[in-house]
Amino acid sequence: MPVTGLRKIALAVCALFLLLFVPLGAVTVQASGTPAGTAGGGEPSQGPVFILPVDQEIERGLESFLKRGFQEADKYGAKLIVLEINTPGGLVDSAEQIGAMVRESEIPTLAFINGNAASAGSYIALNAKRIVMKPGSMIGSASLVDGSGRSVDNAKLVSFWKSKMAGAAALNGRDPDIAAGMTDINMVVDKPELGVHKSKGEIIALTSDQALKAGYADAVKDSPEAAASWMGYSTDDIFRVQHTSAEKLSQFLTHPVVMTVLLFIGIAGVVIELLVPGFGIPGIVGTLAFVLYFFGNYVAGFAGVETWLLFIVGLVLMVLELFVPSFGILGVLGSISLIAGVVRAAYSFTHALFSLGIAFAAAVVVIIIVAVAFRDRGIWNRFILSDSLSKEQGFIPTPEKLDLVGQRGVSITPLRPAGTALIADERLDVVTEGGFIGVNTPISVVKVEGGKIVVKETRE
């Protein structure tokens, strides 16, 4: 790779780092105050109320965002944290972490269900001190499903998730059997006094009115502000935590399809630049694709500083392979480092390998096409002698003495296996077929290949 190409890549990477890591948006936005009131008619509790949206699939990115939100609430002395929930669910392990964050918060928490608190979203809601639902909203339908949306039949996993849901419900005085019925399709739940009946093969999902009767909602209100007011908190100081520009970009970059495309562009761009140097653009684009991949996963909370280190070390080793003779060792180590960084940066080991496999297969096809199209510019030309020696350049080739084939002579020196022989009254350099021939031994010419004369011992 030319030095200028490397300089371009370095400058582009530095520029991207500056762009991405400068604060990209406001952390919180203060909303206008609304009239306050309390459920008991007393004076409302004064102090900031923080509203944190839970309005996407539950994954490590949401976990990272909510962790920041809880830290901001603590920093500004919030009196109440409202989780405004509208989610289809998501990863169980992330829901567990978020649930623990909600459950262990020293600041009182309120779950306001604005739409659907489905699947893992219902678990997050059940960990809050109070649940208020908007008319027409839903909580429940928390059976385990795999990545394709099919129900998980693993009894051990279902039992684990059912116990987590039941425990979260019991924590705040709610009937644990109803929460268990939200997860286990084979369970029968009959609670006529709570308005809940579930037959085998069904999953419990409660509307706002049903949840209120069953004790799974403490009130039904139209907005999170109204819910906070109902709990007895002043809404003069409302803060709604917003996703930063970096977090929004991270949500896009960590989409499975986008991650696979970035890996494909990264692999293809870097390898093409290494194999067919001189363009510059493939190397820059490939490096930027890798940077975006690691940045998205870093902001989402999947990747740590070590993943950046693995990426940089891998890239440097692959570039050094072009200039330092290592018999491929540096290139192999660089590839291993880069792959390790990609896998560690992803939220799932299995997903990372799957995306990497697809991206690698597609990149190989593109790399082969480019290598064939630009075979005259490839790095392999450095290791192939392409110059020809001709008569016009002053080179006089040794003539083939084909007429010597079959002629006899005698070895002047021992042939081990090369030596000198006298053939047709001419001293010639010869070589045997591989064996040893002593001095003054009769020989005959077996074949002539260019300037090489092959002989064997003959008997009189």
Side-chain angles (χ1 to χ4, degrees):
M1 183 186 298
V3 176
T4 54
L6 290 173
R7 187 179 295 113
K8 289 180 182 178
I9 294 176
L11 290 174
V13 172
C14 291
L16 185 66
F17 268 90
L18 290 174
L19 175 65
L20 294 178
F21 289 103
V22 168
L24 297 176
V27 174
T28 56
V29 177
Q30 184 172 3
S32 58
T34 56
T38 65
E43 285 295 321
S45 176
Q46 298 294 322
V49 173
F50 270 61
I51 300 176
L52 310 183
V54 184
D55 54 359
Q56 63 185 80
E57 287 192 13
I58 298 168
E59 36 78 28
R60 290 275 304 274
L62 176 64
E63 180 186 339
S64 178
F65 165 71
L66 292 177
K67 183 178 181 181
R68 179 175 67 82
F70 272 78
Q71 290 173 344
E72 289 290 330
D74 181 64
K75 176 182 177 181
Y76 287 96
K79 298 299 182 181
L80 176 69
I81 294 177
V82 181
L83 300 171
E84 189 173 7
I85 301 175
N86 183 18
T87 175
L91 299 177
V92 170
D93 56 348
S94 291
E96 284 188 85
Q97 295 298 321
I98 295 171
M101 192 189 310
V102 175
R103 184 171 61 248
E104 297 168 4
S105 172
E106 295 182 0
I107 303 171
T109 54
L110 163 67
F112 177 74
I113 301 177
N114 192 29
N116 296 323
S119 193
S122 59
Y123 176 76
I124 294 174
L126 289 174
N127 278 279
K129 301 298 182 185
R130 292 286 183 269
I131 297 177
V132 176
M133 298 179 68
K134 186 175 182 178
S137 58
M138 180 276 288
I139 182 172
S141 189
S143 59
L144 290 176
V145 295
D146 59 20
S148 303
R150 295 187 295 268
S151 295
V152 174
D153 296 327
N154 188 302
K156 187 177 292 187
L157 292 177
V158 171
S159 177
F160 166 80
W161 181 233
K162 182 166 65 174
S163 67
K164 298 295 289 187
M165 286 285 291
L171 181 68
N172 293 304
R174 300 183 176 96
D175 192 309
D177 290 339
I178 296 177
M182 292 178 176
T183 66
D184 190 351
I185 196 171
N186 295 314
M187 187 176 177
V188 175
V189 179
D190 189 18
K191 304 279 183 176
E193 70 280 9
L194 299 178
V196 177
H197 176 77
K198 172 193 174 307
S199 301
K200 187 174 181 179
E202 297 177 341
I203 286 292
I204 294 177
L206 303 175
T207 65
S208 55
D209 292 335
Q210 291 172 331
L212 189 63
K213 183 177 181 180
Y216 270 62
D218 299 297
V220 177
K221 299 294 178 181
D222 290 324
S223 67
E225 291 83 1
S229 179
W230 170 83
M231 278 194 66
Y233 292 89
S234 170
T235 54
D236 293 334
D237 224 3
I238 293 285
F239 287 83
R240 184 178 293 272
V241 179
Q242 305 287 354
H243 291 279
T244 64
S245 300
E247 288 168 337
K248 291 178 181 179
L249 177 60
S250 174
Q251 291 178 23
F252 171 75
L253 295 176
T254 53
H255 188 280
V257 175
V258 176
M259 288 173 64
T260 304
V261 171
L262 288 175
L263 288 175
F264 158 70
I265 295 174
I267 294 171
V270 171
V271 174
I272 288 173
E273 186 63 40
L274 293 176
L275 294 180
V276 190
F279 292 102
I281 294 178
I284 293 173
V285 173
T287 303
L288 293 183
F290 273 126
V291 169
L292 289 174
Y293 173 87
F294 284 101
F295 170 77
N297 286 281
Y298 179 79
V299 173
F302 306 152
V305 176
E306 75 282 356
T307 59
W308 286 105
L309 182 61
L310 287 169
F311 163 64
I312 294 171
V313 169
L315 202 59
V316 169
L317 289 175
M318 293 180 71
V319 172
L320 285 177
E321 175 64 30
L322 297 178
F323 305 101
V324 180
S326 69
F327 304 99
I329 295 176
L330 290 177
V332 171
L333 292 177
S335 300
I336 292 174
S337 179
L338 203 58
I339 292 172
V342 167
V343 173
R344 284 188 61 84
Y347 68 85
S348 165
F349 178 79
T350 303
H351 177 268
L353 290 182
F354 180 74
S355 297
L356 191 59
I358 294 177
F360 181 78
V364 167
V365 174
V366 174
I367 291 167
I368 292 174
I369 293 174
V370 172
V372 171
F374 297 95
R375 54 185 175 273
D376 295 334
R377 301 180 60 173
I379 190 174
W380 45 84
N381 289 319
R382 298 182 183 181
F383 311 105
I384 299 174
L385 182 61
S386 57
D387 292 334
S388 60
L389 300 176
S390 62
K391 294 180 179 179
E392 289 75 12
Q393 295 175 313
F395 174 72
I396 302 175
T398 302
E400 286 187 313
K401 299 183 178 182
L402 298 176
D403 57 324
L404 292 177
V405 176
Q407 292 198 33
R408 297 187 175 218
V410 63
S411 59
I412 299 175
T413 65
L415 307 182
R416 300 191 178 96
T420 305
L422 183 63
I423 303 172
D425 298 326
E426 186 178 359
R427 292 171 62 94
L428 300 171
D429 293 326
V430 299
V431 63
T432 71
E433 294 177 306
F436 170 77
I437 298 177
V439 65
N440 295 323
T441 302
I443 59 170
S444 63
V445 179
V446 178
K447 61 182 174 180
V448 176
E449 294 178 342
K452 184 172 71 171
I453 302 171
V454 182
V455 300
K456 69 177 182 177
E457 183 178 352
T458 59
R459 297 185 185 277
E460 295 296 340

